[in-house]
Each structure stands twice: as structure tokens, then as C-alpha cells.
RNA sequence: GCCCGGAUGGCGGAACUGGUAGACGCAAGGGACUUAAAAUCCCUCGGCACUUGCGGCUGUGCGAGUUCGAUUCUCGCUCCGGGCACCA
């Protein structure tokens, strides 16, 4: 296809020369407290036999193999991306070169919520339950408390109570249900009373504590103050278990009554039955209530993010091994930096052992770096998204043997001016890379905050109803088209089909047109070969209509093509602009051959075609450039200059409307003023017919464009 | 359910900040050249109708509105695509 890559900078992320640095970065992050290990419920892909990060689960299925994922409890390593949540959010505002769509998706993914945290003391106990809420204004409407089944306090709450067995079996059932749950359906809400109560610090009221299947341990605190009157989920739960519903925010013009409410009221309004806060506007009340909690030291303002830490453990037989050693005596030990890289077994041997690492005893057995005793290696490998999170930075010093990055080189090249990728990475790769850039900055390797200044998200190519992708295998091999038409026609055709950001249903119909077009350019050059040997100049001002018109059209085309490419990579319109120019050259050299075509203008226009088409059609243009006797190659020739003066039309078409409908078009000089335009319109015969002698009420003149006569 | 996009001829797609809708190309039909074919060139190509005329009406998913004028702006729908989804 004639793509130009600098192979001197080639890197392979599966090569130990690359991932040794990744392992080093891991260790440095570990030292900085940005890596930790924990046991959680993870997304397990049955087919890939590995854990997946949350953003790698698409519609409940693995992003890679499309198989459904299941929850599973296991240990894994995590990157503390949440430490950077606020910065990643703030940074979005600086990404002016990114599509708004991607910025919005990331903003939603980070999911910042501002609200209040508040402690509810447990009755007859020293424990307290901390909740997070975005609706502190509804705190007087709390009628029960819901805990996630995984909440650590449950055990203490139920021990010895008559409800103990019931709650325990409820938790067990819920956990099993969660394992089975498919993502597309929310299970019905269930709960179980713990027998325990906590105290609403604002009212002093006893609040019954429930365990509920819909409360997420991973978000907020795993405990929710339930306000059924003002929260849909609490409402549903309250109705099911006959718990009281107490409205405390009255929206304007509505009177909420607990017994007749059909659904929770989410509207803002005025507080009722809310102690000292009664009568306050709900927005104001939010602030006042948070302040009150802060003063009394049982709560305060709090921010929660939806973003979770990035689970990077994978159980695949590929990826960079996580450089950790487990010693029975010394515990978890980082692999000393001078022992890096930890090499992935069998990676360089395609027929080698391709079992997951935990099945490879040779790999696992090692010695403890601290005590020298027998120890075991970590068998998880890193998510391959880790590798793609910093490769662009490694390109700036690809052979560096001393460090992952050469800060000086990285400062010179980064951030990446223009990044191109599919929208499917809007969150995954593009968020990880933004995170990693900051981590590398804080580790002292980079001095930028954002990796990519400008982002173009290209559309997907659809084939047979689903997106064309390597992993799906429904790709169209361009070599078929290349064999038949050549690489340039194939390039031209693909670029002409649609603007790059749009999805495109693949269809090779139309490729003939691109082929025909290049042939036409070729024929024009051959037929007018002689003009290239003439070293003529011309007095532009003295050109006749035909030559002057072509000269002008050529400059207009330079302007349009430059604009289309620079502005938004709309090669399709760039190409059609050149097509127009070529059509005009064709007309002028065949039809108008009676008038003498200036060799200078002809040469200029044909050369411009080659220059403008060069990015799209490099081989052909370079060949023609040489053929037409140029000493230097096109590749080293500068882009043509756009001269707006030369592109200016001498004549314009004045559109005349009567009551907004186009009735006539009149040619006029480009410098015509508004008064002249009006005069032109009012004396135009066709226009007068439509006026039928009526007096114009109003005449609107748009300079150089149109006259609208209202009668 | 919520948040983003999008909808223009038979098709892919143009139309700058409201100002000539359909650029450019494909497909289709007709014609020229040719013994024939390919290639090339010319013409037609949104719809409607009593088309005498270089003409008229209508038309950018649907319905309203703002405006002298709306593919473009506002409101309300329909359909399609994408993202999120018990996030308290």
C-alpha cells in the first residue's frame, strides 16, 4: 500500500527488551504504592481462562473472544488508577483536539459524584456504618439502611441474633445468584433484616439495618441510607417489604403522600418534616446538611468516583510476567531490578510449552531474593493493555538499554501530535495511556500530562453486518484489489469512500471510478506532454477567460484540498476537488482546443494535480513527476502555496428570490455592491414577472450572494 | 431507563459561521466511435403532473415553531448506531 514507517524505531512489546522495562515500571510503581494485590470478585472469561478488567467486558462478554464472562473470587494485582481519577477528569478539559464524544465517554466512566459521607452509629455497639449519598437533603426521609452482602460489619451485627441463620443463608444465596447473573438483566430486589438498628444522627431515630442484594460493595462504602420516597430502588424495596415511605422534599406544585405515591420523586423542591432544615430549598439544604454533619463531626463533604482500580493480572500464557516472588518466610517479594527481565517461558519457541504459567513448574520454582530459600514466582502475566499504554513513548528512544525512556528524546517528540484509532478504544487504551503518562511523569521519565494532543477516531469498517477486525477474521485483504488495480487505486478508492470518522459498510463497487480517474490524469499528461518542456511564464492578468478560469480553478483547488486535509482529514472531499479540476482541464484541452491553451497555465494545473494527489496516490504521482521532467522527487517538493487572490472569482452568480423562492440567477462582477445588486434584481425581466407589479415590502441583500424580494 | 451521535437521490457521499440542496463518484438508461468488444466521449438521471416553452409545484426521517429565507437554529416524536446500566 506504500505506507511509510520508520522501521528503525520498530519495537515489539512481546520482546523481553521491551517488557523488561515494563517490569521495572511495575516495580517502581509498587514502591510508590501504585500497585497492590487484593482478593476480589473478578470477571472471568471461561474461554480465555483469564481475568478481565471491568472495561474489557463488553455487554457481559469478553472483548477479545466474545464469550460471556463470569464473576469469580480470586487474588490479583491492581494499578491504582483511582489515585489519578481527579487528574484524569480535569485533564479532559485540556483535550481540545479530541472528539467531544470520547471526552464525554471518559468523563462518564470516571463518574465523579459529589455528596456527603455520614456515620450512622450502630445501636448498642461501638461500631458505626458509614454511608455515601448524593442526596443529603433527603436524610430526614431515611427509613432503613441497606448493606451489601459483602459488607464487613454484617457478621458483628447478626452474631447471636435470631435472624443470624436467615441472614447467612440469604447472603449465601445472593452470592450464588451473583455468580449466575447475566449482565443484561437486573435481578429482582431482595433483602433480609439483620435484627440490628442504627441511629440516624440527624433525627436520633432507630433505623432498621437490612442486607440487600442490590447494594454494591465496590461503590461508595457498601452501605446505603435508604430513602424510599426519593430513590427508585429504595422505593421498590420498601414496597416489597412494607417499610415506611417518608417524603421530605416537596417539588413545586405537587403534594407527595406516602400511601399514594406510585414511584419515588427525584425532583428538587422544598424540604418538609426535616427539623431545622424544613422550608429550605433542596439545593441549599444539601450544603447546610453537609455543613451540619461536619460541625458535629459525624460526616462531611465527600466525593466518590465510579472508576475502579485497574486489575492487570491475567492468567494467559502470554504477556509480561509480573515480577514478584512469593516466599513462605519473607512473604511477597519484588524481583530485584538487576534480575530483570523475568522471561516468559516458551515465548520465542512457537512449538514450546504454551500452558498457563501456573502449570509450568520450571518457571515457578525460584529462590527468595531476601532469604535465599526456595520460593515461587508469580504466575500471572500483565494485561497486554499495559504494554500499549506506553509504547508511543518508547518509540522516542526504542533502543535505549539504560532506561525505559530517554526523557530528553521523549520531551522532544511527545505529546503525539496526531493519534488515530478506533472508537472502541475510547475508554480502554486511551484512558490507560493517559494514566500511564502521568505515572511515568511522576516516576521522572516524562514531563507531559497528556499523551495525545489530537485524536481522530476512525469509524469502523463493517463487513457482513459486523465490524471488520483481525480478531473476528472478517477482514478484506486489499491484495485482491491491489492485484487488479494497483496500490494507488486501492488507496484512492478507500479514501474517497467516506470521511474517516464515519462507519463504512465495505463495498468494492466504485473502485472502477477511481481507476478511471487516475487513467484520465495519465492520459491528460501524456496528451499534453509538450507543455512540460516549455519554460514559459505568463502575465496572469492578461489571460483570456479560458486560461484565466483554469488558473483560478487551480488555486481554488489548492485551497480546498489543503483545507480538507489539514482541517479534518476529509480526503474524500479533497479528492473530489481534484476531480473537478481534472474535469476542467479535460474540458479545456479537448473542447476549447480552438482557443490556444497557455502552456504555462496547463503545466501549472497539471503539476498542481500531481502535488495535491501525492499524499493519496504517491506511486503514480511520483512516476508522473519524473516523467514530466522534474529533477527533484515529489517527496522532497513543497506543498503548493494557496493564493486567495488568485482563487477569487471575477464573476459571481447573484441569486434572486421572490418570497424566499429562487426565481432567477444573474451573472455579475464580483465587486458588485448591495445597491447595485438590488437594482439588478429589480430590473431583471424574469424577476419582474414574478413580482406581477406588486410593490416590494422588503428587500434583503446578502452581499455577493443573493437578493430576496418580499412582496 | 440515562448519556452521546446519526437520518440528504437507486448507492457512497457534498453543502463554509442560516442564503442557489444533491458537488464528486458509483450504478442505471440512451447515444457516438468500432466489423465487434474493450477503452473513450456525449446526453439523461429526487419526485409529481395538463410538462408546448430556456417552465411549474414539491422535496434533506415525521410534526410544529423562529426567520424575508431552515439540510443547518428551537421544541416534540419515529427509527438506526454507540456508550453506560441497581454507581446510592
Amino acid at each position: 500500500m506504500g505506507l511509510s514507517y520508520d522501521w528503525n524505531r520498530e519495537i515489539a512489546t512481546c520482546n523481553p527488551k521491551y517488557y523488561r522495562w515494563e517490569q521495572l515500571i511495575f516495580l517502581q510503581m509498587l514502591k510508590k504504592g501504585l500497585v497492590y494485590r487484593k482478593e476480589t470478585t473478578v470477571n472471568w472469561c471461561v474461554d480465555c481462562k483469564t481475568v478481565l478488567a471491568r472495561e474489557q467486558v463488553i455487554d457481559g462478554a469478553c472483548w477479545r473472544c466474545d464469550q460471556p464472562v463470569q464473576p469469580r473470587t480470586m487474588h490479583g494485582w491492581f494499578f491504582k488508577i483511582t489515585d489519578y481519577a481527579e487528574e484524569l477528569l480535569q485533564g479532559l478539559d485540556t483535550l481540545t483536539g479530541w472528539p467531544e464524544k470520547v471526552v464525554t465517554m471518559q468523563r462518564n466512566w470516571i463518574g465523579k459524584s459529589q455528596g456527603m459521607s455520614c456515620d450512622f452509629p450502630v445501636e448498642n455497639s461501638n461500631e458505626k456504618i458509614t454511608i455515601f449519598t448524593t442526596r443529603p437533603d433527603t436524610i430526614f426521609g431515611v427509613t432503613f439502611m441497606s448493606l451489601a452482602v459483602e459488607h464487613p460489619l454484617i457478621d458483628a451485627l447478626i452474631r447471636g441474633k435470631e435472624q443470624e441463620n436467615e441472614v447467612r443463608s440469604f447472603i449465601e444465596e445472593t452470592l450464588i445468584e451473583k455468580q449466575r447473573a447475566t449482565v443484561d438483566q437486573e435481578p429482582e430486589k431482595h433483602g433480609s433484616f439483620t435484627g440490628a438498628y442504627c441511629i440516624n444522627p440527624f433525627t436520633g431515630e432507630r433505623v432498621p439495618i437490612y442486607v440487600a442484594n442490590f447494594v454494591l460493595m465496590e461503590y461508595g462504602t457498601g452501605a446505603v441510607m435508604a430513602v424510599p420516597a426519593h430513590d427508585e430502588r429504595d422505593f421498590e424495596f420498601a414496597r416489597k417489604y412494607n417499610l415506611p415511605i417518608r417524603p421530605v422534599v416537596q417539588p413545586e406544585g405537587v403534594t407527595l403522600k406516602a400511601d399514594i405515591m406510585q414511584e419515588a420523586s427525584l425532583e428538587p423542591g422544598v424540604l418538609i418534616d426535616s427539623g431545622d432544615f424544613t422550608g429550605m430549598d433542596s439545593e441549599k439544604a444539601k450544603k447546610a446538611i453537609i455543613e451540619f454533619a461536619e460541625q458535629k463531626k459525624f460526616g462531611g463533604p465527600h466525593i466518590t468516583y465510579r472508576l475502579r482500580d485497574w486489575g492487570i493480572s491475567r492468567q494467559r500464557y502470554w504477556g509480561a510476567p509480573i515480577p514478584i516472588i512469593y516466599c513462605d518466610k519473607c512473604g511477597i517479594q519484588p524481583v530485584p531490578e538487576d534480575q530483570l527481565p523475568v522471561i516468559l517461558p516458551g515465548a520465542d519457541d512457537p512449538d514450546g510449552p504454551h500452558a498457563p504459567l501456573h502449570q509450568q513448574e520450571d518457571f515457578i520454582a525460584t529462590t527468595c531474593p531476601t532469604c535465599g530459600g526456595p520460593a515461587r514466582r508469580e504466575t500471572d502475566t500483565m494485561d497486554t493493555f499495559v504494554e500499549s499504554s506506553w509504547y508511543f513513548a518508547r518509540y522516542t528512544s526504542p533502543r535505549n538499554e539504560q532506561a525505559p525512556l530517554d526523557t530528553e528524546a521523549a520531551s522532544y517528540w511527545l505529546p503525539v501530535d496526531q493519534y488515530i484509532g478506533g472508537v472502541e478504544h475510547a475508554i480502554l487504551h486511551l484512558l490507560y495511556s493517559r494514566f500511564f503518562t502521568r505515572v511515568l511523569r511522576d516516576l521522572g521519565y516524562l514531563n507531559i500530562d497528556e499523551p495525545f494532543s489530537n485524536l481522530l477516531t476512525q469509524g469502523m469498517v463493517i463487513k457482513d453486518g459486523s465490524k471488520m477486525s483481525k480478531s473476528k477474521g472478517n477482514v478484506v485483504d486489499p491484495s485482491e484489489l491491489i492485484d487488479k488495480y494497483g496500490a494507488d487505486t486501492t488507496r484512492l478508492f478507500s479514501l474517497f469512500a467516506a470521511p474517516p470518522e464515519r462507519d463504512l459498510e465495505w463495498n468494492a463497487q466504485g473502485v472502477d471510478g477511481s481507476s478511471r480517474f487516475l487513467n484520465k490524469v495519465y492520459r491528460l499528461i501524456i496528451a499534453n506532454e509538450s507543455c512540460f518542456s516549455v519554460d514559459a511564464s505568463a502575465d496572469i492578468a492578461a489571460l483570456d477567460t479560458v486560461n484565466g478560469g483554469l488558473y483560478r480553478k487551480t488555486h481554488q483547488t489548492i485551497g480546498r484540498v489543503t483545507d480538507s486535509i489539514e482541517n479534518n482529514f476529509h480526503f474524500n472531499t479533497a479528492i473530489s476537488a481534484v476531480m473537478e479540476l481534472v474535469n476542467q482541464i479535460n474540458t479545456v484541452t479537448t473542447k476549447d482546443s480552438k482557443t490556444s491553451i497557455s502552456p504555462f497555465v496547463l503545466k501549472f494545473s497539471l503539476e498542481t494535480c500531481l502535488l495535491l494527489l501525492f499524499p493519496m496516490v504517491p506511486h503514480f504521482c511520483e512516476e508522473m513527476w519524473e516523467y514530466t521532467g522534474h529533477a527533484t522527487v515529489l517527496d522532497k517538493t513543497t506543498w503548493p502555496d494557496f493564493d486567495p487572490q488568485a482563487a477569487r472569482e471575477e464573476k459571481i452568480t447573484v441569486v434572486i428570490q421572490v418570497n424566499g423562492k429562487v426565481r432567477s440567477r444573474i451573472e455579475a462582477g464580483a465587486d458588485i455592491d448591495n445597491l447595485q445588486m438590488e437594482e439588478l434584481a429589480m430590473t431583471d425581466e424574469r424577476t419582474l414577472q414574478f413580482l406581477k407589479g406588486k410593490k416590494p415590502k422588503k428587500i434583503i441583500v446578502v452581499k455577493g450572494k443573493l437578493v430576496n424580494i418580499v412582496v
Side-chain angles (χ1 to χ4, degrees):
Chain A
M1 291 289 275
L3 307 171
S4 305
Y5 294 113
D6 181 356
W7 293 107
N8 290 319
R9 291 182 182 273
E10 183 185 14
I11 55 177
T13 57
C14 59
N15 191 313
K17 284 185 174 171
Y18 179 84
Y19 68 66
R20 66 168 291 194
W21 298 118
E22 192 165 299
Q23 291 172 338
L24 179 74
I25 293 166
F26 177 94
L27 294 174
Q28 292 179 345
M29 287 174 74
L30 184 68
K31 214 179 279 174
K32 253 187 165 277
L34 290 170
V35 180
Y36 65 99
R37 188 171 184 257
K38 71 171 176 190
E39 184 179 38
T40 52
T41 309
V42 295
N43 304 295
W44 178 261
C45 172
V46 183
D47 221 48
C48 294
K49 295 193 170 50
T50 188
V51 170
L52 298 171
R54 196 161 68 119
E55 46 278 329
Q56 293 166 12
V57 178
I58 314 290
D59 290 334
C62 171
W63 69 282
R64 218 163 185 289
C65 70
D66 263 352
Q67 291 305 303
V69 299
Q70 289 175 356
R72 202 180 249 215
T73 304
M74 56 194 294
H75 277 97
W77 289 93
F78 288 81
F79 283 165
K80 265 194 151 179
I81 192 170
T82 52
D83 271 13
Y84 288 83
E86 187 60 32
E87 210 199 318
L88 288 167
L89 181 68
Q90 302 271 330
L92 291 173
D93 294 334
T94 70
L95 296 176
T96 49
W98 282 39
E100 193 50 44
K101 180 186 177 170
V102 175
V103 171
T104 305
M105 278 169 73
Q106 291 214 357
R107 184 170 289 126
N108 292 340
W109 190 261
I110 294 168
K112 180 178 182 175
S113 290
Q114 310 206 44
M116 171 174 83
S117 71
C118 185
D119 299 333
F120 283 58
V122 177
E123 192 183 53
N124 305 324
S125 153
N126 292 326
E127 301 286 356
K128 60 196 181 192
I129 296 168
T130 306
I131 57 96
F132 170 74
T133 180
T134 54
R135 294 294 305 274
D137 54 320
T138 64
I139 200 158
F140 283 81
V142 172
T143 56
F144 60 100
M145 173 70 70
S146 321
L147 302 182
V149 289
E150 301 94 338
H151 198 283
L153 217 57
I154 293 175
D155 209 52
L157 293 178
I158 58 174
R159 182 158 303 149
K161 293 213 171 67
E162 57 172 302
Q163 287 88 351
E164 177 166 358
N165 286 339
E166 205 185 317
V167 173
R168 285 198 196 284
S169 59
F170 169 76
I171 292 173
E172 206 169 301
E173 276 165 34
T174 304
L175 288 172
I176 293 167
E177 186 189 68
K178 274 193 174 179
Q179 299 275 331
R180 265 195 244 119
T182 50
V183 199
D184 45 309
Q185 251 180 337
E186 281 173 15
E188 204 190 322
K189 291 181 179 42
H190 291 295
S192 183
F193 179 47
T194 59
Y197 291 83
C198 59
I199 307 297
N200 183 338
F202 279 82
T203 60
E205 270 178 309
R206 295 172 85 218
V207 178
I209 304 171
Y210 280 73
V211 179
N213 65 342
F214 63 91
V215 179
L216 305 174
M217 192 61 223
E218 312 85 69
Y219 183 80
T221 60
V224 180
M225 67 173 212
V227 186
H230 302 293
D231 182 280
E232 289 171 35
R233 295 149 299 181
D234 298 342
F235 185 88
E236 198 184 322
F237 194 87
R239 274 286 146 88
K240 179 162 179 173
Y241 292 101
N242 271 319
L243 294 159
I245 294 169
R246 188 191 301 163
V248 289
V249 175
Q250 204 75 258
E252 208 185 319
V254 187
T255 307
L256 295 176
K257 285 231 171 71
D259 42 342
I260 55 163
M261 281 177 79
Q262 295 296 308
E263 56 182 5
S265 159
L266 308 177
E267 307 298 309
V270 173
L271 267 64
I272 54 167
D273 298 330
S274 295
D276 293 345
F277 303 96
T278 301
M280 257 190 205
D281 167 78
S282 48
E283 275 313 304
K284 212 179 274 173
K286 277 184 189 173
K287 287 191 194 112
I289 285 171
I290 293 173
E291 247 166 60
F292 183 80
E294 202 171 15
Q295 269 170 30
K296 300 283 176 186
K297 301 212 165 31
F298 53 73
H302 193 81
I303 290 169
T304 299
Y305 298 91
R306 215 187 66 112
L307 183 71
R308 310 280 160 77
D309 280 336
W310 176 12
I312 58 146
S313 279
R314 296 291 177 276
Q315 292 72 36
R316 307 185 195 273
Y317 61 80
W318 68 81
I322 292 174
I324 289 291
I325 291 169
Y326 298 98
C327 172
D328 285 340
K329 270 209 317 228
C330 312
I332 297 174
Q333 299 293 314
V335 172
E337 292 185 8
D338 58 11
Q339 287 178 26
L340 296 180
V342 177
I343 303 223
L344 186 73
D348 44 3
D349 175 7
D351 304 317
H354 281 173
L357 301 188
H358 64 87
Q359 291 173 11
Q360 297 199 40
E361 277 307 323
D362 291 352
F363 173 80
I364 295 169
T366 187
T367 52
C368 172
T370 308
C371 71
R376 289 163 292 116
R377 283 195 189 281
E378 170 64 65
T379 55
D380 285 350
T381 57
M382 280 190 250
D383 184 2
T384 47
F385 274 105
V386 178
E387 285 159 11
S388 57
S389 295
W390 67 289
Y391 77 97
F392 50 88
R394 181 69 184 173
Y395 275 143
T396 66
S397 52
R399 306 279 165 267
N400 193 336
E401 301 273 341
Q402 317 310 319
L405 297 172
D406 173 350
T407 307
E408 205 177 310
S411 309
Y412 174 76
W413 288 104
L414 298 178
V416 176
D417 298 304
Q418 181 65 52
Y419 203 66
I420 300 176
V423 222
E424 66 271 23
H425 286 123
I427 294 178
L428 294 160
H429 167 59
L430 291 168
L431 186 64
Y432 296 150
S433 298
R434 295 183 62 227
F435 163 61
F436 241 71
T437 299
R438 288 168 168 81
V439 169
L440 291 169
R441 176 199 63 196
D442 293 345
L443 291 174
Y445 293 115
L446 296 177
N447 44 32
I448 51 164
D449 300 326
E450 291 289 345
F452 314 125
S453 305
N454 294 291
L455 174 69
L456 170 71
T457 48
Q458 89 226 83
M460 295 182 295
V461 181
I462 312 291
K463 178 78 201 302
D464 308 324
S466 67
K467 73 166 175 183
M468 217 185 259
S469 74
K470 279 179 287 179
S471 51
K472 289 230 167 66
N474 59 345
V475 290
V476 170
D477 187 348
S479 58
E480 218 172 282
L481 283 181
I482 293 172
D483 286 347
K484 193 168 172 200
Y485 296 95
D488 278 344
T489 297
T490 307
R491 289 169 62 115
L492 186 73
F493 169 63
S494 334
L495 293 172
F496 186 58
E501 70 277 6
R502 199 185 292 219
D503 285 351
L504 180 74
E505 173 80 41
W506 178 255
N507 184 351
Q509 256 191 11
V511 65
D512 282 321
S514 295
S515 177
R516 276 202 283 265
F517 170 68
L518 290 182
N519 278 320
K520 190 191 252 179
V521 177
Y522 178 78
R523 279 197 314 273
L524 275 173
I525 288 173
I526 301 300
N528 298 287
E529 220 176 318
S530 58
C531 78
F532 291 96
S533 52
V534 181
D535 194 19
S537 65
D539 181 1
I540 304 302
L543 290 175
D544 62 25
T545 322
V546 172
N547 284 301
L550 181 57
Y551 184 75
R552 191 182 312 117
K553 181 76 177 176
T554 306
H555 267 289
Q556 288 171 348
T557 308
I558 295 172
R560 284 171 65 185
V561 172
T562 308
D563 199 57
S564 292
I565 296 180
E566 282 185 351
N567 196 26
N568 47 17
F569 301 104
H570 278 194
F571 298 105
N572 59 329
T573 51
I575 292 165
S576 62
V578 182
M579 283 174 167
E580 281 185 40
L581 175 60
V582 169
N583 286 345
Q584 187 159 334
I585 299 173
N586 191 41
T587 307
V588 160
T589 52
T590 52
K591 272 199 183 156
D592 300 330
S593 57
K594 304 287 182 297
T595 65
S596 58
I597 298 300
S598 151
F600 169 79
V601 174
L602 189 55
K603 181 183 175 188
F604 171 62
S605 60
L606 285 170
E607 279 183 350
T608 302
C609 285
L610 294 178
L611 285 162
L612 296 179
L613 286 172
F614 182 55
M616 280 87 82
V617 188
H619 312 89
F620 169 80
C621 291
E622 195 68 86
E623 178 77 17
M624 288 290 96
W625 194 250
E626 191 195 343
Y627 180 82
T628 52
H630 293 86
T632 44
V633 291
L634 248 185
D635 199 30
K636 303 280 183 200
T637 309
T638 53
W639 189 251
D641 281 323
F642 171 58
D643 178 357
Q645 206 51 42
R648 216 176 95 91
E649 286 287 355
E650 285 176 342
K651 291 215 169 212
I652 55 162
T653 306
V654 176
V655 173
I656 299 169
Q657 299 183 333
V658 177
N659 288 337
K661 283 183 185 170
V662 179
R663 294 305 185 189
S664 184
R665 297 181 171 95
I666 306 174
E667 290 274 296
D671 49 357
I672 188 169
D673 65 27
N674 286 7
L675 213 67
Q676 287 170 312
M677 281 174 68
E678 190 177 324
E679 208 175 284
L680 199 67
M682 292 312 290
T683 54
D684 177 51
E685 206 174 308
R686 278 187 47 78
T687 308
L688 291 174
Q689 276 174 24
F690 280 94
L691 289 179
K692 291 180 188 139
K694 285 182 217 151
K695 275 242 173 78
K697 253 196 250 168
K698 196 171 174 184
I699 299 177
I700 290 118
V701 182
V702 180
K703 189 162 175 18
K705 285 216 163 133
L706 133 169
V707 180
N708 187 12
I709 303 162
V710 187
V711 295

